[in-house]
Amino acid sequence: MDITMIHHISLKTKDLKKAKQFYGNILGLEEENRPDFSFAGAWYRIGDYQQLHLIEDPEFVYNPELHIDTRGNHVAFRVKDFQETSDHLKASGVDIKEKPDSTSGFAQIFCCDPDGHIIEFHVPQQ
């Protein structure tokens, strides 16, 4: 077996409209065409090959407190600029937790999406 990359990550969302606002408008991910499934959702392109798949489930509840647990299950995105990302998220009204000197070797920013999924943005530390 030879795993070569992560192709996509799927996240459930209670409210597709709110999730699309976050991932499409705030994070600026490009929405892609998606097959005509029997359920609502959206697909987003990340880089050249990866994707994020949103699946709407009106009964879904993940993290109603929207608590930023930096040790919890999360999705991590590499970004080009720490400060630019931090400034953009703050200007968009997103609550963030910054760890510029993380022992991980990455300067990290954490936030929650509208459903409470924890999202990490990072750059290598200088």
Side-chain angles (χ1 to χ4, degrees), residues 21-29 68 75 77-99 107-114 117-123:
Q21 164 66 21
F22 180 78
Y23 289 101
N25 294 351
I26 293 176
L27 300 190
L29 296 181
I68 303 173
V75 176
F77 297 113
R78 173 72 54 98
V79 295
K80 290 183 180 180
D81 186 282
F82 180 91
Q83 196 59 52
E84 178 184 17
T85 301
S86 175
D87 292 346
H88 174 75
L89 292 169
K90 289 176 187 175
S92 298
V94 177
D95 184 34
I96 65 172
K97 180 180 277 188
E98 295 179 327
K99 295 179 110 182
Q108 302 166 303
I109 302 166
F110 292 87
C111 70
C112 289
D113 76 1
H117 297 290
I118 301 163
I119 309 297
E120 173 188 337
F121 304 93
H122 69 255
V123 299

